[in-house]
Amino acid sequence: MRRRFTTVLLTAAFLLTAPAAVAAPPALHPLAELSGQRVQLANKVAAAKFGTTQPIDDPVREQQILDGVAAKAPGLGLDPAAAVEFFRDQIEANKLVQRGLYDYWTANPEQAPTHRPDLPTEIRPVIDRINEGLLTELAATSAVRARPSCGVRLALAIRAVDRELNFYELHRRALRRSLDSACEGH
């Protein structure tokens, strides 16, 4: 048992430090890519809310998303509680970016956004499309996410998406946070 754990640990370390030419396992890449897109969209959400009375936390909107996920999950063969947990991670990752940007813009007002996108008409429809894609990918990757190798596969997918999207540390942390519960039995 200890030997197997050491082998898995060394394999993960090798794969995580391997050159960028190593491709992410395709099975989890679309899930990580959609999560990355949702993390990127947090910039626009923050820009829409910054300098207004609209808080980062929006419990009503968050509950609407989670209720919708719980309702759709069984039809896709997903456990509603696990799907809700995954989307709660997505929401928390988005708020992580928003808070980081708020702090940055407050400390550097000259860097604050000058354009305020419209949250209901410009941003939320995109979030809703990404959420649909994430739910579909959760269903499509159920078997892979249940395997013991999920953590390594997911780490590779996250690394690939991070490189593709050229994330800074704030968004890199948020991407990892967004996928905290992607592997079953995490």
Side-chain angles (χ1 to χ4, degrees), residues 5-6 9 21 25 29 37 39-40 52 83 95 101 106 111 115 119 122-123 125 136 139 147 152 160 166 176 181 185:
F5 176 74
T6 303
L9 190 62
H29 188 270
Q37 290 172 14
V39 164
Q40 277 184 318
T52 71
K95 293 191 290 189
L101 290 174
T106 300
Q111 298 294 319
H115 170 71
L119 199 53
E122 291 178 50
I123 301 169
T136 300
R147 292 184 187 144
V152 172
N166 198 27
R176 287 190 304 264
S181 60

Side-chain angles (χ1 to χ4, degrees), residues 34-43 93 97 167 171 174-175 178:
L34 285 166
S35 289
Q37 290 172 14
R38 200 173 192 290
V39 164
Q40 277 184 318
L41 201 54
N43 294 4
V97 171
F167 277 161
H171 293 79
L175 178 60
S178 74

Side-chain angles (χ1 to χ4, degrees), residues 31-32 34-43 86-101 158 161-162 165 167-181:
L31 184 68
L34 285 166
S35 289
Q37 290 172 14
R38 200 173 192 290
V39 164
Q40 277 184 318
L41 201 54
N43 294 4
F86 176 84
F87 276 88
R88 189 169 283 118
D89 289 344
Q90 294 291 317
I91 291 167
E92 291 305 316
N94 194 285
K95 293 191 290 189
L96 178 75
V97 171
Q98 290 179 58
R99 287 187 182 99
L101 290 174
I158 289 170
V161 169
D162 173 33
L165 298 178
F167 277 161
Y168 292 106
E169 184 56 32
L170 174 63
H171 293 79
R172 190 174 296 125
R173 280 191 348 253
L175 178 60
R176 287 190 304 264
R177 174 65 176 99
S178 74
L179 293 162
D180 271 354
S181 60

Side-chain angles (χ1 to χ4, degrees), residues 3-144:
R3 182 180 214 164
R4 181 168 184 222
F5 176 74
T6 303
T7 302
V8 169
L9 190 62
L10 289 173
T11 301
F14 169 76
L15 291 173
L16 290 174
T17 58
V22 174
L28 293 177
H29 188 270
L31 184 68
E33 187 173 38
L34 285 166
S35 289
Q37 290 172 14
R38 200 173 192 290
V39 164
Q40 277 184 318
L41 201 54
N43 294 4
K44 288 187 178 183
V45 175
K49 294 178 178 180
F50 187 73
T52 71
T53 58
Q54 190 170 10
I56 290 173
D57 292 284
D58 187 349
V60 172
R61 169 70 175 163
E62 293 169 23
Q63 195 59 52
Q64 288 172 341
I65 291 171
L66 298 176
D67 289 347
V69 165
K72 292 175 184 174
L76 294 167
L78 295 169
D79 173 52
V84 165
E85 182 180 5
F86 176 84
F87 276 88
R88 189 169 283 118
D89 289 344
Q90 294 291 317
I91 291 167
E92 291 305 316
N94 194 285
K95 293 191 290 189
L96 178 75
V97 171
Q98 290 179 58
R99 287 187 182 99
L101 290 174
Y102 268 42
D103 290 346
Y104 179 75
W105 293 333
T106 300
N108 302 281
E110 70 283 357
Q111 298 294 319
T114 56
H115 170 71
R116 182 168 288 122
D118 188 63
L119 199 53
T121 63
E122 291 178 50
I123 301 169
R124 284 189 177 151
V126 177
I127 291 173
D128 292 341
R129 279 193 301 276
I130 291 172
N131 286 349
E132 288 296 322
L134 285 166
L135 203 49
T136 300
E137 280 303 316
L138 278 179
T141 58
S142 287
V144 174

